[in-house]
Each structure stands twice: as structure tokens, then as C-alpha cells.
Amino acid sequence: MSAGAVLSQFSNLLNYMESFGPKLSSNIRPNRDQLDEIQKLRDRLKPALATIESHVEHLLKKATPTVKDRNLANQIRSFQVADQFDPALFRKNLVLIFRGPDESALDADKVRIRKAKSRTRCEKLCAESPHLILRWAMSLQPSAWVHPTVMADSTFDFLIRDLKAIFDQIPSRVAESLHCLKNEEPLKPCEQFQEFVKFIDQSISVEEQENKARYKRKRTEESLPTEGKLYATESDNKQMIEQRSKEIDYKMSSMPSGKLPHLIKRLSWAIESSEQWKWERRVFAERLGGSDAETTDCLNFFVPKDRSQDISITLVVGRRAGFDLIYEAEVEIIRV
């Protein structure tokens, strides 16, 4: 029986039990024989529930990442582009991720099934952030991850979850390789890969502008007397964040409606990666000695006086996380 079928039965069982409970306390009037039978069934219920709980716990333990899984995640995370980057490996992985395994009419049934599973993995990776895709393509041999017989589904899913928070500054060597692949077969006609490279280019451009602005700001601050330096206090830091957030460089809109559910799932993670969120937690810890702030200004709600108008909600998310959301949402990008 498949995992989906078992999950469906488990869900139906719980739904039935939840709806059945009130019936036992309704105005039914069982006779003595029926009460005896109910007693026997209750005695069977306890061990049955304990058995189910035991099996569920065992199943969940199987999904817990192993030491080998964690070591592999650390290996990917600690990959050094300067020393370990292999253009040939990089190309193989990107071709596989964006095009999937090659298929043939001569493939046996077992081969077709295996390739279908491999294609599913490639599609999962394509849906992830560009930074995760790049790190994955640079650090793993295709044979180590594409086949479920080599890398278990639990390991694959764990790595995807564990590496979601990776945000790297993209080295020029990697960017150059991407441009070569962009203009060569077999990725040249792949629209998804072309959009991927386009997003990477935009991300690099923004990083370069930020670095220049940061350098210029640092030189300006160094030239000022100590008492004249900006943002000396925590309140000034918050003001700086708010002021910079108003300097709009790009506008994005026209998101495909089908992308909304996935975007909503990612918002909490994106908000928690923002400087605003980190600043709030740091100030809370310093002033009140707590480990976590109870409120946040990362979300703001604007209710218009006109009741026929919609309510607006604005969010603050981390910059790199925001770029990943933009890429995943497939919005139209307009330079302001």
C-alpha cells in the first residue's frame, strides 16, 4: 500500500473518531448486554491506540535525518568555490536539473520509472531558490543525488529543507560559467534556465550597487567627526532601515495566481531573515534580557476610511530572501 493511501486512511480514521465521540454521550439508552459489549470495545481501544501511536512514532523516527545526512549537508554548505569549483560538474548538474534525464523509446519499463522519479527530483530543485540550485550544482555529483536508489527520498528532502537558508554572494567565476552555458546547447533553448540566469544577473547587479553605496557611505562617515557620524544609536539604525526601504529601485507585479500558495508558505522564513526582525530581537534581548521579542513591525496594516476600499498589508523581508521570492513568484520586474 502506498504512503498516500495510508495517509488517506489515517485521516479518515481520525475524522470518523472525532465525529463519533459525541454520539456516545448523546441520548442513547443501551441495554445491559450492549453496555457489556461497549466495555469490551473500550478495553480493545486502548491497546489499539497505543499500537497506532507506536507505529507513528517509529515512522517519524525514520524521517529524522541521520548523521550521514547532516554530514552531507555540512559538506555542501562548506563548499569553497575558489578551491573546489569544477565547471564540468557544474554544467552536468545544471543540464540535468533544468532539462531532466534524457529519455528514449528504447528504455525498458524499469528505466522509465527510474527516470520519472529522477525528473521529479529535478523539478523539485528547479522550484527552489537560485542560491540553493547553484550550491547544489557545484558540490554534488549527479550520480550521488539523481537516483532514489543512491540517495533516499528522505535524504533528498532533508537537504532541500536544510539548505533553503543558503545565501551566497555569487563569484564572478560562477557567473561567467552561467553565461557560457546560457549561450550553448543544450541549455540555450531552455526558457527556464534563461530566466534563471537573468535573475542571477539582476542579483549580482544589485549586490554591486550595494557594495558601491556601502563603500561610499563608509568613506563619508569616516570623514565626519565622531559626534557627527550617523546612525550611532539603535533608534538611528531603525530609522536608517526605514529610510533605505523607501528608496525603490525595482517594482514587481503581475504574479501568476497559482504561485500564491507557495509564496505564502515562504513568507514567515523571509520575514525572519530581514534586518528589521533581527534588530527587534537584538534590542529586546539587550534591554529586557529575553530570548525573543513578542511583537514585530515587519508587518503593517493600513485600513482606509472608505469601507469600499481593500485593506493594505506591507511586509519587510530579508533582501536575499526577497529576491528568491521574486524569482519563485515569476513576477514582472520594472526598473523605477
Side-chain angles (χ1 to χ4, degrees):
M1 185 177 293
S2 68
V6 172
L7 180 61
S8 177
Q9 289 186 9
F10 193 16
S11 176
N12 292 337
L13 174 63
L14 288 177
N15 290 335
Y16 182 77
M17 291 178 67
E18 289 171 351
S19 63
F20 178 73
K23 296 178 182 178
L24 293 172
S25 58
S26 62
N27 294 326
I28 61 173
R29 295 184 178 182
N31 57 38
R32 172 48 54 188
D33 291 340
Q34 290 171 329
L35 286 173
D36 290 342
E37 188 64 25
I38 289 174
Q39 176 69 40
K40 292 177 182 178
L41 291 173
R42 190 193 70 168
D43 293 340
R44 289 175 55 192
L45 178 63
K46 291 181 179 179
L49 289 175
T51 300
I52 291 176
E53 179 67 25
S54 175
H55 285 302
V56 169
E57 188 173 342
H58 176 70
L59 183 63
L60 294 177
K61 282 183 178 179
K62 287 169 61 178
T64 303
T66 64
V67 174
K68 185 178 179 181
D69 293 341
R70 295 189 183 279
N71 289 340
L72 183 56
N74 291 333
Q75 174 189 326
I76 297 172
R77 195 179 288 105
S78 61
F79 180 87
Q80 298 295 323
V81 175
D83 302 324
Q84 299 173 277
F85 182 70
D86 181 353
L89 173 65
F90 189 55
R91 179 185 182 278
K92 286 180 182 177
N93 272 316
L94 288 177
V95 170
L96 183 58
I97 290 170
F98 284 94
R99 288 178 55 87
D102 293 330
E103 297 180 356
S104 170
L106 301 178
D107 287 340
D109 290 341
K110 289 184 178 180
V111 175
R112 288 197 186 96
I113 293 172
R114 188 180 72 243
K115 287 185 176 180
K117 292 180 178 179
S118 298
R119 184 173 296 279
T120 299
R121 288 194 170 184
C122 295
E123 291 170 353
K124 279 187 177 181
L125 278 172
C126 280
E128 294 301 326
S129 74
H131 293 275
L132 189 152
I133 294 173
L134 289 178
R135 180 57 69 99
W136 190 284
M138 288 187 290
S139 56
L140 288 174
Q141 290 289 339
S143 58
W145 65 267
V146 73
H147 300 304
T149 53
V150 178
M151 178 183 285
D153 288 337
S154 58
T155 301
F156 180 84
D157 293 338
F158 163 72
L159 291 176
I160 294 292
R161 292 194 308 271
D162 190 69
L163 300 173
K164 279 184 183 293
I166 283 185
F167 298 111
D168 296 321
Q169 189 167 6
I170 300 167
S172 58
R173 191 177 179 187
V174 174
E176 290 168 3
S177 297
L178 286 173
H179 277 274
C180 290
L181 295 173
K182 174 185 175 183
N183 298 317
E184 294 177 356
E185 297 291 344
L187 291 173
K188 185 176 181 179
C190 178
E191 293 184 6
Q192 191 172 13
F193 183 75
Q194 297 296 323
E195 288 297 318
F196 173 78
V197 177
K198 181 180 178 181
F199 178 85
I200 294 295
D201 287 342
Q202 291 171 344
S203 179
I204 293 174
S205 175
V206 170
E207 286 177 356
E208 290 175 347
Q209 292 175 19
E210 284 189 334
N211 289 336
K212 290 179 181 178
R214 193 179 297 113
Y215 176 75
K216 184 177 180 181
R217 187 163 55 250
K218 182 180 179 182
R219 291 290 300 273
T220 302
E221 291 179 0
E222 288 175 349
S223 65
L224 292 173
T226 304
E227 62 272 17
K229 289 186 178 180
L230 300 176
Y231 317 127
T233 65
E234 290 291 353
S235 60
D236 290 333
N237 279 331
K238 181 179 180 181
Q239 184 178 1
M240 177 188 69
I241 293 172
E242 292 176 349
Q243 179 63 31
R244 290 180 63 191
S245 69
K246 297 175 183 177
E247 299 171 0
I248 305 301
D249 194 16
Y250 292 91
K251 176 184 176 182
M252 292 80 173
S253 61
S254 302
M255 182 186 76
S257 57
K259 296 289 182 179
L260 186 58
H262 178 71
L263 179 70
I264 291 173
K265 290 180 181 178
R266 303 265 283 165
L267 284 180
S268 177
W269 156 78
I271 290 171
E272 292 175 8
S273 71
S274 69
E275 294 301 320
Q276 172 73 24
W277 179 276
K278 296 173 185 176
W279 174 83
E280 291 170 346
R281 269 88 208 130
R282 186 172 67 251
V283 171
F284 186 86
E286 291 174 355
R287 294 181 181 175
L288 301 178
S291 59
D292 204 2
E294 295 180 354
T295 61
T296 180
D297 289 333
C298 289
L299 287 86
N300 291 279
F301 300 78
F302 300 92
V303 182
K305 293 180 179 179
D306 186 348
R307 296 197 174 190
S308 65
Q309 299 298 316
D310 294 330
I311 293 174
S312 298
I313 302 175
T314 63
L315 306 172
V316 176
V317 301
R319 189 169 188 85
R320 290 188 181 278
F323 273 114
D324 282 344
L325 291 180
I326 292 167
Y327 173 77
E328 294 165 9
E330 298 180 4
V331 294
E332 292 183 7
I333 302 176
I334 305 169
R335 188 68 180 263
V336 178

mmCIF file of all heavy atoms in Angstrom, residues 11-26:
data_model
loop_
_atom_site.group_PDB
_atom_site.id
_atom_site.type_symbol
_atom_site.label_atom_id
_atom_site.label_comp_id
_atom_site.label_asym_id
_atom_site.label_seq_id
_atom_site.Cartn_x
_atom_site.Cartn_y
_atom_site.Cartn_z
ATOM 1 N N SER A 11 -6.230 9.694 7.973
ATOM 2 C CA SER A 11 -7.030 10.914 8.079
ATOM 3 C C SER A 11 -8.512 10.587 8.237
ATOM 4 O O SER A 11 -9.207 11.174 9.077
ATOM 5 C CB SER A 11 -6.806 11.785 6.838
ATOM 6 O OG SER A 11 -7.623 12.930 6.868
ATOM 7 N N ASN A 12 -8.991 9.644 7.438
ATOM 8 C CA ASN A 12 -10.403 9.252 7.526
ATOM 9 C C ASN A 12 -10.730 8.647 8.890
ATOM 10 O O ASN A 12 -11.806 8.891 9.456
ATOM 11 C CB ASN A 12 -10.738 8.246 6.421
ATOM 12 C CG ASN A 12 -10.692 8.871 5.040
ATOM 13 O OD1 ASN A 12 -10.836 10.084 4.898
ATOM 14 N ND2 ASN A 12 -10.484 8.051 4.022
ATOM 15 N N LEU A 13 -9.788 7.855 9.412
ATOM 16 C CA LEU A 13 -9.989 7.234 10.724
ATOM 17 C C LEU A 13 -10.134 8.295 11.813
ATOM 18 O O LEU A 13 -11.045 8.239 12.651
ATOM 19 C CB LEU A 13 -8.811 6.312 11.040
ATOM 20 C CG LEU A 13 -8.784 5.690 12.448
ATOM 21 C CD1 LEU A 13 -9.991 4.783 12.656
ATOM 22 C CD2 LEU A 13 -7.484 4.920 12.662
ATOM 23 N N LEU A 14 -9.240 9.279 11.796
ATOM 24 C CA LEU A 14 -9.296 10.330 12.812
ATOM 25 C C LEU A 14 -10.566 11.165 12.675
ATOM 26 O O LEU A 14 -11.192 11.530 13.679
ATOM 27 C CB LEU A 14 -8.060 11.227 12.698
ATOM 28 C CG LEU A 14 -6.742 10.601 13.158
ATOM 29 C CD1 LEU A 14 -5.588 11.557 12.928
ATOM 30 C CD2 LEU A 14 -6.810 10.227 14.632
ATOM 31 N N ASN A 15 -10.929 11.476 11.442
ATOM 32 C CA ASN A 15 -12.158 12.249 11.227
ATOM 33 C C ASN A 15 -13.378 11.492 11.751
ATOM 34 O O ASN A 15 -14.280 12.083 12.367
ATOM 35 C CB ASN A 15 -12.337 12.557 9.736
ATOM 36 C CG ASN A 15 -11.312 13.554 9.227
ATOM 37 O OD1 ASN A 15 -10.778 14.354 9.994
ATOM 38 N ND2 ASN A 15 -11.034 13.517 7.933
ATOM 39 N N TYR A 16 -13.394 10.178 11.514
ATOM 40 C CA TYR A 16 -14.527 9.371 11.980
ATOM 41 C C TYR A 16 -14.557 9.317 13.511
ATOM 42 O O TYR A 16 -15.624 9.435 14.131
ATOM 43 C CB TYR A 16 -14.434 7.960 11.407
ATOM 44 C CG TYR A 16 -15.599 7.080 11.811
ATOM 45 C CD1 TYR A 16 -16.840 7.213 11.191
ATOM 46 C CD2 TYR A 16 -15.459 6.136 12.829
ATOM 47 C CE1 TYR A 16 -17.916 6.424 11.572
ATOM 48 C CE2 TYR A 16 -16.527 5.346 13.213
ATOM 49 C CZ TYR A 16 -17.755 5.495 12.584
ATOM 50 O OH TYR A 16 -18.817 4.717 12.971
ATOM 51 N N MET A 17 -13.384 9.159 14.116
ATOM 52 C CA MET A 17 -13.326 9.091 15.579
ATOM 53 C C MET A 17 -13.776 10.408 16.205
ATOM 54 O O MET A 17 -14.478 10.424 17.221
ATOM 55 C CB MET A 17 -11.908 8.748 16.032
ATOM 56 C CG MET A 17 -11.482 7.325 15.699
ATOM 57 S SD MET A 17 -9.784 6.963 16.192
ATOM 58 C CE MET A 17 -9.936 7.027 17.974
ATOM 59 N N GLU A 18 -13.365 11.519 15.593
ATOM 60 C CA GLU A 18 -13.753 12.827 16.126
ATOM 61 C C GLU A 18 -15.261 13.050 16.026
ATOM 62 O O GLU A 18 -15.873 13.655 16.911
ATOM 63 C CB GLU A 18 -13.002 13.929 15.376
ATOM 64 C CG GLU A 18 -11.511 13.976 15.705
ATOM 65 C CD GLU A 18 -10.745 14.908 14.798
ATOM 66 O OE1 GLU A 18 -11.328 15.390 13.797
ATOM 67 O OE2 GLU A 18 -9.564 15.159 15.072
ATOM 68 N N SER A 19 -15.836 12.574 14.945
ATOM 69 C CA SER A 19 -17.283 12.750 14.780
ATOM 70 C C SER A 19 -18.079 11.714 15.581
ATOM 71 O O SER A 19 -19.237 11.939 15.941
ATOM 72 C CB SER A 19 -17.660 12.649 13.300
ATOM 73 O OG SER A 19 -17.365 11.358 12.789
ATOM 74 N N PHE A 20 -17.435 10.575 15.878
ATOM 75 C CA PHE A 20 -18.130 9.503 16.579
ATOM 76 C C PHE A 20 -18.224 9.753 18.089
ATOM 77 O O PHE A 20 -19.193 9.359 18.739
ATOM 78 C CB PHE A 20 -17.410 8.170 16.329
ATOM 79 C CG PHE A 20 -18.024 7.002 17.044
ATOM 80 C CD1 PHE A 20 -19.229 6.459 16.612
ATOM 81 C CD2 PHE A 20 -17.412 6.444 18.164
ATOM 82 C CE1 PHE A 20 -19.800 5.384 17.278
ATOM 83 C CE2 PHE A 20 -17.975 5.377 18.832
ATOM 84 C CZ PHE A 20 -19.176 4.839 18.384
ATOM 85 N N GLY A 21 -17.223 10.439 18.648
ATOM 86 C CA GLY A 21 -17.184 10.663 20.089
ATOM 87 C C GLY A 21 -18.466 11.226 20.676
ATOM 88 O O GLY A 21 -19.018 10.663 21.649
ATOM 89 N N PRO A 22 -19.002 12.322 20.135
ATOM 90 C CA PRO A 22 -20.230 12.902 20.710
ATOM 91 C C PRO A 22 -21.426 11.955 20.682
ATOM 92 O O PRO A 22 -22.341 12.091 21.504
ATOM 93 C CB PRO A 22 -20.482 14.128 19.817
ATOM 94 C CG PRO A 22 -19.141 14.480 19.263
ATOM 95 C CD PRO A 22 -18.445 13.178 19.074
ATOM 96 N N LYS A 23 -21.419 10.995 19.763
ATOM 97 C CA LYS A 23 -22.548 10.068 19.680
ATOM 98 C C LYS A 23 -22.648 9.199 20.937
ATOM 99 O O LYS A 23 -23.740 8.779 21.329
ATOM 100 C CB LYS A 23 -22.412 9.181 18.446
ATOM 101 C CG LYS A 23 -22.472 9.950 17.132
ATOM 102 C CD LYS A 23 -22.270 9.023 15.940
ATOM 103 C CE LYS A 23 -22.283 9.811 14.633
ATOM 104 N NZ LYS A 23 -22.041 8.935 13.460
ATOM 105 N N LEU A 24 -21.501 8.932 21.556
ATOM 106 C CA LEU A 24 -21.512 8.095 22.760
ATOM 107 C C LEU A 24 -22.130 8.812 23.955
ATOM 108 O O LEU A 24 -22.600 8.166 24.899
ATOM 109 C CB LEU A 24 -20.077 7.666 23.103
ATOM 110 C CG LEU A 24 -19.414 6.714 22.105
ATOM 111 C CD1 LEU A 24 -17.945 6.522 22.451
ATOM 112 C CD2 LEU A 24 -20.132 5.366 22.091
ATOM 113 N N SER A 25 -22.088 10.140 23.929
ATOM 114 C CA SER A 25 -22.651 10.899 25.047
ATOM 115 C C SER A 25 -24.020 11.487 24.705
ATOM 116 O O SER A 25 -24.524 12.349 25.418
ATOM 117 C CB SER A 25 -21.692 12.030 25.447
ATOM 118 O OG SER A 25 -21.451 12.878 24.340
ATOM 119 N N SER A 26 -24.584 11.032 23.595
ATOM 120 C CA SER A 26 -25.916 11.511 23.212
ATOM 121 C C SER A 26 -26.983 10.759 24.015
ATOM 122 O O SER A 26 -26.674 10.015 24.948
ATOM 123 C CB SER A 26 -26.124 11.324 21.709
ATOM 124 O OG SER A 26 -26.053 9.946 21.380
#
